[in-house]
Amino acid sequence: MHEVILHHYPTSPFAEKARLMLGFKQLSWRSVQIPPVMPKPDLTALTGGYRRTPVLQIGADIYCDTALIARRLEAEKATPALFPEGQEFVAATLAQWADSVLFLHAVSLVFQPESMAMRFAQVPKAFIEVFSKDRAALFSSGSAARVPLEQAKSHWPVLMARLQQQLARGNGEFLLGSAPCVADFSVAHCLWFLKGTPVTAPLIDAYPDVAAWLGKVLAVGHGSLSELSAEDAVAIAREATPAELPDEPFSEPNGFEAGQAVTISAVDYGTDPVEGELVFAGVEELILRREDERAGVVHVHFPRMGYRIDAR
């Protein structure tokens, strides 16, 4: 039985989503700190080039994107459920909306000059320049477009009013009932990002029901974690064997076949392609087999939604 390893850094909003889901599942996990900007040589030894944060590792299986990480954690421990029975579609769809629409609005608001000046007040100027170039490169290709600041400010009251209405009319303290689910964690990480400075925190605090709900979600915590070095995580992958493929028919509507050499990449941002052998294509998941001189043979897992396959 391999340990659950999360590759992340403290200020990443999507990493906060993953940390909260680990806490919700009451899992013990190993924490590998990665750089917030490229290069990330230890991480990309495992992923083959995927650079977004976070990444989940279990032995020689590498899981990219919190949408798929949520499903892997559900398989790791069924209860409490991230996808409540009878509400799987609603939970997944609301989470997808939060991770795209709500997140891009939050990014625009967080990256406004006044907010960034406060966030980076104690950071060396050289790092600020590196960070700015890195994030520009992250969004330089793909379908995601930055939301103009004036548009984000205009839309924000609408988004918060809808969220407040859902909380007021729901059948419990959380978005879909009496317990949090993947939708709560997906919305929460965007708002957690905004709570980072006094410039953007009022965008949450102005909505008391939302602020109270966010406090309850964050109170879930991060579970039990212990630190692990990046070098040790790579060694764990090298010494492990990828898990058996899912017991599900291979299904690829565009004609790609098992064993074919392909690349898989995100379609919205951070579109760096990962090369490998397509070994599985299921309803929710794509798996590439690849070999790295440091990490050995690994299976890199991607969600089907939001990713594309191209022939090599």
Side-chain angles (χ1 to χ4, degrees):
M1 193 75 173
H2 293 292
E3 294 179 299
V4 174
I5 302 169
L6 188 71
H7 299 256
H8 65 123
Y9 61 88
T11 56
S12 162
F14 278 100
E16 179 64 8
K17 174 186 172 183
R19 293 186 292 258
L20 288 169
M21 292 193 296
L22 285 160
F24 177 64
K25 288 291 188 181
Q26 300 179 338
L27 290 169
S28 297
W29 55 282
R30 307 302 301 275
S31 168
V32 177
Q33 298 287 324
I34 64 174
V37 298
M38 293 294 278
K40 305 179 183 183
D42 298 309
L43 181 69
T44 54
L46 296 168
T47 66
Y50 179 87
R51 55 153 296 180
R52 286 158 57 161
T53 306
V55 167
L56 187 78
Q57 176 187 353
I58 301 180
D61 287 271
I62 314 300
Y63 296 85
C64 302
D65 199 297
T66 56
L68 185 61
I69 289 172
R71 295 186 181 277
R72 181 61 185 85
L73 294 180
E74 195 85 328
E76 186 76 11
K77 187 179 180 184
T79 57
L82 286 166
F83 300 88
E85 185 175 356
Q87 295 182 307
E88 295 91 342
F89 172 78
V90 176
T93 302
L94 181 50
Q96 184 182 0
W97 169 84
D99 288 343
S100 53
V101 175
L102 188 63
F103 173 69
L104 289 174
H105 280 75
V107 166
S108 180
L109 294 164
V110 166
F111 278 72
Q112 61 182 294
E114 296 85 355
S115 173
M116 293 306 290
M118 190 164 289
R119 282 179 177 268
F120 287 105
Q122 306 300 320
V123 176
K125 184 178 179 181
F127 178 79
I128 297 174
E129 292 176 354
V130 169
F131 181 86
S132 298
K133 290 179 181 178
D134 181 84
R135 291 307 185 266
L138 185 67
F139 284 90
S140 63
S141 61
S143 62
R146 292 226 178 186
V147 179
L149 180 58
E150 63 275 13
Q151 186 177 340
K153 287 181 176 180
S154 179
H155 288 177
W156 195 253
V158 179
L159 300 175
M160 290 298 96
R162 291 177 179 177
L163 180 56
Q164 187 139 300
Q165 182 183 62
Q166 175 68 21
L167 290 168
R169 296 184 179 178
N171 296 317
E173 296 181 297
F174 298 95
L175 290 177
L176 297 180
S178 60
C181 68
V182 68
D184 292 273
F185 299 122
S186 297
V187 174
H189 80 85
C190 301
L191 307 192
W192 171 86
F193 200 27
L194 289 162
K195 288 284 285 183
T197 73
V199 174
T200 50
L203 295 168
I204 311 304
D205 297 337
Y207 301 90
D209 291 345
V210 174
W213 162 84
L214 179 62
K216 293 172 187 174
V217 176
L218 298 181
V220 166
H222 297 163
S224 176
L225 65 135
S226 58
E227 297 296 325
L228 180 71
S229 73
E231 294 82 359
D232 286 345
V234 173
I236 287 170
R238 184 175 61 250
E239 294 164 7
T241 300
E244 295 291 327
L245 296 175
D247 184 17
E248 182 184 335
F250 186 101
S251 175
E252 212 311 291
N254 291 306
F256 293 101
E257 298 178 351
Q260 186 171 349
V262 301
T263 64
I264 295 179
S265 56
V267 300
D268 49 3
Y269 59 90
T271 60
D272 311 72
V274 178
E275 297 182 357
E277 174 190 346
L278 183 65
V279 293
F280 178 76
V283 172
E284 293 279 355
E285 184 179 13
L286 304 170
I287 304 177
L288 281 186
R289 179 191 183 277
R290 55 177 306 276
E291 188 166 359
D292 181 86
E293 62 180 13
R294 293 179 59 205
V297 175
V298 296
H299 281 178
V300 186
H301 303 242
F302 302 89
R304 186 187 284 275
M305 287 291 290
Y307 289 75
R308 60 178 291 167
I309 308 173
D310 292 289
R312 280 174 53 191

